[in-house]
Amino acid sequence: MKSIGRISFVLGTAGAVVNVPLVHRPKTVSQFKAAWERRAARAALLGADEDGSLPQIPLTDTEDAEYYGEVQIGTPAQKFQVIYDTGSSNLWVPSAKCTNCKEKGAKYDLTKSSTYSQNGQTFALQYGTGSCSGHLSNDAVTLAGLTIKNGTFAEVTTEAKDVFGQAPFDGILGMGPAAAAIDKVPTPMHMLVEQKLVEKNAFAYCLSSDEKTGSMLTLGGTDDAMHTEDFHYAPVAWTAKVLPYWLVKGSDLKVAGASTGACGFLVGCQLVVDTGTSVIAAPGKAADTLLSKIGNVSADCSNVKSLPIVTFTINGKDFDLDPDFYVLRQKDEHGHEECGLGIQKLAGIPMWILGDPFLRKYYTVWDGDQNRVGFALAKQPAAEVVV
């Protein structure tokens, strides 16, 4: 795989920021179907029913994520490909002492780093049907040329086989809220701000489609080159105090301009803005209503242009999502294109997940300083394809 770009410093709306290139690896038809089934099974394990009980484990499915980038740990640097994931809040990579991690993946070796210092606290994290465990360590952690001194991360010594499988990345770098961090470990963004490596606790994603180049994570603010309109912000919802996700409130959901009535008057639609989910996920009855109004998607893609526009109303502004974004085009084992709906019913969760189909259209900023999430129409990345 060739490089998709270089780390770059830019002057954005929040001052000096730094860009991290991301690779997009879309799923095949069979991978998409497997992820769909895992997602549905995991929803039941989240411990959340329509009666309002709460999820007890992270949303992240490592094999569902499609965007990843590099992080370096130690001196000299040991390189890892990680999911920069807004649905979790810890950094972890496989340890050289891992007993069952994939053979060809990168592994952290503390004996090869002059800046390692022992922490030793045990670490365990549940991921739906799988889990991983190990211990915390401290070392230099470098993101986009910015080096966190004595950064805390987890070395994984045991992982369930279904956590990574044959995924093309090694670990996870959590970009979620601090409240979601296991063992209250400082998040990477918190450490960047605390050590004055970036000015603001804010970051933004521009996500490409179909393996096109240009996917980018911006640390410390936003990059004006990534969007074509001003940001519209929504405060993090009050429900985030009990559900530690990047949650915003939607007040309406429309199909072809007509309200579906899916968002209640008081609570509305609780929307998790999550880069680690490759579809838009909807709860129970709301999903039934939405899917019935959209109708069927032809596998041969012949009716995509005739499908309706879906609109999310967030903090008073309508965000249209046309079928070019919510219909996913994938290749089967013979290389033939097949279309499928990128919206899924998850009966076990009380909230929506605004995953990659929404985030590919809207350049999105997660602003931890002001506890808000902002959306602006994204400039579509270049047509060059990663090979």
Side-chain angles (χ1 to χ4, degrees), residues 294-374:
I294 291 175
N296 293 325
V297 176
S298 299
D300 64 2
C301 308
S302 60
N303 72 334
V304 171
K305 295 299 182 184
S306 65
L307 294 172
I309 291 175
V310 174
T311 304
F312 292 88
T313 304
I314 303 172
N315 201 24
K317 181 177 174 61
D318 285 349
F319 293 90
D320 291 338
L321 198 65
D322 50 86
D324 284 337
F325 289 92
Y326 70 73
V327 172
L328 304 182
R329 297 173 182 264
Q330 292 133 350
K331 300 291 180 65
D332 64 17
E333 61 271 21
H334 303 295
H336 301 139
E337 185 177 70
E338 185 173 311
C339 279
L341 187 61
I343 302 173
Q344 181 177 5
K345 174 182 177 178
L346 293 182
I349 61 174
M351 60 215 175
W352 295 70
I353 303 175
L354 284 185
D356 296 342
F358 186 87
L359 301 178
R360 280 193 279 267
K361 182 168 184 180
Y362 295 102
Y363 183 52
T364 303
V365 58
W366 290 256
D367 186 343
D369 286 336
Q370 300 193 53
N371 206 30
R372 62 183 183 172
V373 180

Side-chain angles (χ1 to χ4, degrees), residues 237-309:
W238 63 268
T239 44
K241 294 180 180 178
V242 290
L243 293 168
Y245 308 125
W246 287 105
L247 267 167
V248 297
K249 177 182 175 181
S251 58
D252 198 7
L253 174 69
K254 304 182 185 78
V255 177
S259 176
T260 63
C263 299
F265 174 70
L266 292 177
V267 178
C269 289
Q270 297 297 302
L271 310 171
V272 181
V273 189
D274 180 38
T275 59
T277 302
S278 62
V279 299
I280 292 173
K285 295 178 181 178
D288 292 335
T289 300
L290 174 60
L291 297 176
S292 67
K293 291 183 178 298
I294 291 175
N296 293 325
V297 176
S298 299
D300 64 2
C301 308
S302 60
N303 72 334
V304 171
K305 295 299 182 184
S306 65
L307 294 172
I309 291 175

Side-chain angles (χ1 to χ4, degrees), residues 50-310:
E50 303 263 338
D51 63 2
S53 55
L54 305 178
Q56 298 300 313
I57 59 176
L59 294 175
T60 306
D61 175 359
T62 57
E63 291 187 69
D64 193 23
E66 295 187 348
Y67 298 88
Y68 56 95
E70 185 177 278
V71 67
Q72 300 177 6
I73 302 177
T75 308
Q78 300 175 42
K79 297 180 180 181
F80 301 89
Q81 295 297 319
V82 295
I83 307 166
Y84 281 85
D85 173 39
T86 60
S88 63
S89 301
N90 292 80
L91 167 59
W92 63 275
V93 296
S95 170
K97 298 178 181 178
C98 185
T99 57
N100 66 341
C101 294
K102 57 184 180 184
E103 268 184 49
K104 296 183 180 179
K107 298 177 180 65
Y108 172 75
D109 188 343
L110 63 88
T111 66
K112 295 182 179 179
S113 175
S114 62
T115 46
Y116 163 80
S117 62
Q118 184 175 3
N119 182 303
Q121 181 178 336
T122 58
F123 173 90
L125 189 57
Q126 180 73 31
Y127 279 106
T129 56
S131 62
C132 60
S133 60
H135 57 268
L136 299 180
S137 293
N138 292 85
D139 207 334
V141 176
T142 302
L143 294 76
L146 306 176
T147 299
I148 299 167
K149 297 178 180 178
N150 204 39
T152 304
F153 66 99
E155 287 187 61
V156 169
T157 54
T158 305
E159 68 179 30
K161 290 182 180 179
D162 64 348
V163 173
F164 280 115
Q166 300 303 311
F169 37 77
D170 307 301
I172 292 178
L173 194 149
M175 304 294 287
I182 302 300
D183 298 323
K184 299 182 179 180
V185 174
T187 65
M189 274 305 302
H190 174 83
M191 290 186 283
L192 285 171
V193 174
E194 186 178 51
Q195 297 187 23
K196 302 187 185 306
L197 297 172
V198 295
E199 180 183 353
K200 297 182 182 297
N201 181 12
F203 57 91
Y205 282 81
C206 180
L207 302 183
S208 67
S209 302
D210 306 322
E211 293 185 286
K212 293 175 183 174
T213 62
S215 294
M216 200 73 67
L217 164 63
T218 303
L219 302 174
T222 61
D223 184 346
D224 288 341
M226 301 291 179
H227 60 100
T228 62
E229 63 180 13
D230 292 339
F231 281 95
H232 182 79
Y233 289 93
V236 170
W238 63 268
T239 44
K241 294 180 180 178
V242 290
L243 293 168
Y245 308 125
W246 287 105
L247 267 167
V248 297
K249 177 182 175 181
S251 58
D252 198 7
L253 174 69
K254 304 182 185 78
V255 177
S259 176
T260 63
C263 299
F265 174 70
L266 292 177
V267 178
C269 289
Q270 297 297 302
L271 310 171
V272 181
V273 189
D274 180 38
T275 59
T277 302
S278 62
V279 299
I280 292 173
K285 295 178 181 178
D288 292 335
T289 300
L290 174 60
L291 297 176
S292 67
K293 291 183 178 298
I294 291 175
N296 293 325
V297 176
S298 299
D300 64 2
C301 308
S302 60
N303 72 334
V304 171
K305 295 299 182 184
S306 65
L307 294 172
I309 291 175
V310 174

Side-chain angles (χ1 to χ4, degrees), residues 6-74:
R6 296 177 298 171
I7 294 167
S8 60
F9 292 88
V10 298
L11 193 63
T13 56
V17 298
V18 61
N19 283 335
V20 183
L22 301 176
V23 172
H24 181 212
R25 179 70 64 85
K27 294 178 181 62
T28 62
V29 171
S30 60
Q31 289 170 335
F32 176 76
K33 290 178 179 177
W36 188 282
E37 292 171 359
R38 278 197 317 276
R39 201 181 297 115
R42 195 174 73 256
L45 297 176
L46 284 172
D49 297 313
E50 303 263 338
D51 63 2
S53 55
L54 305 178
Q56 298 300 313
I57 59 176
L59 294 175
T60 306
D61 175 359
T62 57
E63 291 187 69
D64 193 23
E66 295 187 348
Y67 298 88
Y68 56 95
E70 185 177 278
V71 67
Q72 300 177 6
I73 302 177

